[in-house]
Amino acid sequence: MRKHILLHKFSAFMLSLMMLLSNIAPTVAYAMEDEKDDFYEYELTKEGYKILRLTNKGREKLKDEDYELVIPEEHDNIPIVEIGKEAFKDEKIKKLTLPISLKRIEEKAFNKVGLEEIKVHPEDKTLVLDKVEDEAFEGNNLEEMPFVVKEIGSRTYKDNKLEEVDLSYTEKMGEEAFVNNKLLKPIVNKYTKLAEKVFDDETAISYTKTDFLKKQEDTNIDYLKERENLLNSSRETKTEEKKEEKQ
């Protein structure tokens, strides 16, 4: 009889323990996905880390460094590949440095933060982003776009101060992506898919004469090499135009 009671108590204990562990396990897994360091909160994705937002300590550091934000290239030896939706919205940021590891910038990530300048680290490399989503850089004071973007969302750069921008590498642009950039002189590939009213009506658009985007449907393009070819071609064209003007 005593053995039966002990066996019953042990079975009840084991059942309670199993139920407790089943409730804890998902929480532990979630904690491993969302992490913090001193300055950022992260989410681990299949490709690498996504930055979700600044920590309080990160905000203090940003203020101490005169609102210059440097996005690290990796976290825990894993690359940082994405900046999340509204990650820095409502923050104050004057200067921004992006790592070469970055692939995507999500919706409203740097919306109306007062941004004046963007740099890429390391400076001798070309940053190629797969996508910059809707309103990501809307409402800032940017004059340059020092990286290449394959797909640009709607109103992504609306209400900035962009001037000469090379978009010959861009495959697709959303509605009002560059509206209200009064001094803008974009170079656009003639095969780029454009939504309605990507630019202001008065914007003077120059089109590249290469079928680069058309070719990529059939071949595995080396984007960086092709882009350099486009830039060299553009420089040669400008040089020839100046020679003709002198004559």
Side-chain angles (χ1 to χ4, degrees):
M1 182 70 178
R2 186 177 178 184
K3 286 183 179 180
H4 179 73
I5 293 172
L6 288 174
L7 182 61
H8 179 74
K9 287 183 176 180
F10 179 76
S11 299
F13 170 76
M14 289 301 295
L15 181 61
S16 299
L17 182 61
M18 288 173 66
M19 290 176 66
L20 179 63
L21 289 174
S22 67
N23 289 330
I24 291 174
T27 306
V28 173
Y30 181 78
M32 289 174 67
E33 289 179 5
D34 290 348
E35 298 185 10
K36 287 185 180 183
D37 63 11
D38 286 343
F39 307 118
Y40 301 98
E41 291 183 26
Y42 298 94
E43 178 184 323
L44 185 59
T45 69
K46 292 180 180 179
E47 297 178 276
Y49 275 110
K50 177 197 292 190
I51 289 181
L52 301 176
R53 63 189 64 85
L54 284 169
T55 63
N56 288 333
K57 192 169 183 179
R59 290 188 183 90
E60 291 174 9
K61 182 183 179 185
L62 181 61
K63 186 176 180 180
D64 291 342
E65 296 187 358
D66 196 24
Y67 302 102
E68 182 170 355
L69 183 70
V70 178
I71 303 294
E73 190 167 345
E74 59 182 34
H75 173 61
D76 286 345
N77 297 317
I78 297 174
I80 292 171
V81 296
E82 196 167 352
I83 296 175
K85 180 179 178 180
E86 299 184 359
F88 299 99
K89 188 174 179 283
D90 299 325
E91 304 289 351
K92 181 179 178 181
I93 303 171
K94 291 181 181 178
K95 296 180 180 180
L96 172 66
T97 299
L98 298 175
I100 201 70
S101 60
L102 202 64
K103 293 185 177 182
R104 284 176 302 280
I105 298 176
E106 290 189 354
E107 182 180 339
K108 296 185 179 181
F110 296 97
N111 187 279
K112 300 176 183 178
V113 297
L115 193 57
E116 299 172 1
E117 181 183 351
I118 300 177
K119 295 186 290 185
V120 173
H121 179 76
E123 293 181 2
D124 61 336
K125 302 289 184 180
T126 300
L127 172 60
V128 179
L129 296 172
D130 291 333
K131 188 172 183 179
V132 179
E133 295 185 1
D134 298 354
E135 304 173 32
F137 290 102
E138 181 188 7
N140 288 292
N141 299 302
L142 292 171
E143 296 180 5
E144 296 181 345
M145 193 179 80
F147 46 79
V148 176
V149 188
K150 295 181 184 178
E151 184 176 344
I152 295 173
S154 298
R155 299 171 298 282
T156 301
Y157 295 96
K158 184 181 178 182
D159 298 330
N160 273 276
K161 298 178 180 179
L162 292 170
E163 297 182 15
E164 293 189 8
V165 177
D166 182 8
L167 300 167
S168 54
Y169 183 83
T170 303
E171 300 168 14
K172 185 178 180 181
M173 290 185 237
E175 186 176 337
E176 297 188 358
F178 291 92
V179 164
N180 200 21
N181 285 267
K182 301 301 183 184
L183 301 177
L184 183 63
K185 296 179 181 178
I187 301 173
V188 178
N189 196 297
K190 62 183 178 180
Y191 292 105
T192 297
K193 296 178 182 177
L194 300 177
E196 289 187 21
K197 198 175 172 61
V198 173
F199 306 100
D200 289 314
D201 293 337
E202 62 272 19
T203 300
I205 303 171
S206 300
Y207 289 94
T208 57
K209 297 178 181 179
T210 175
D211 61 351
F212 157 52
L213 291 182
K214 187 178 180 182
K215 285 191 299 182
Q216 71 173 324
E217 295 175 2
D218 306 314
T219 59
N220 185 17
I221 293 290
D222 183 337
Y223 281 94
L224 298 184
K225 185 177 180 180
E226 186 69 24
R227 179 174 183 268
E228 187 60 31
N229 291 339
L230 288 175
L231 292 175
N232 289 336
S233 176
S234 176
R235 293 188 194 105
E236 289 171 6
T237 301
K238 288 179 181 178
T239 302
E240 290 297 323
E241 288 174 352
K242 287 181 181 179
K243 284 182 181 178
E244 289 176 5
E245 288 175 4
K246 288 181 180 179
Q247 292 175 356

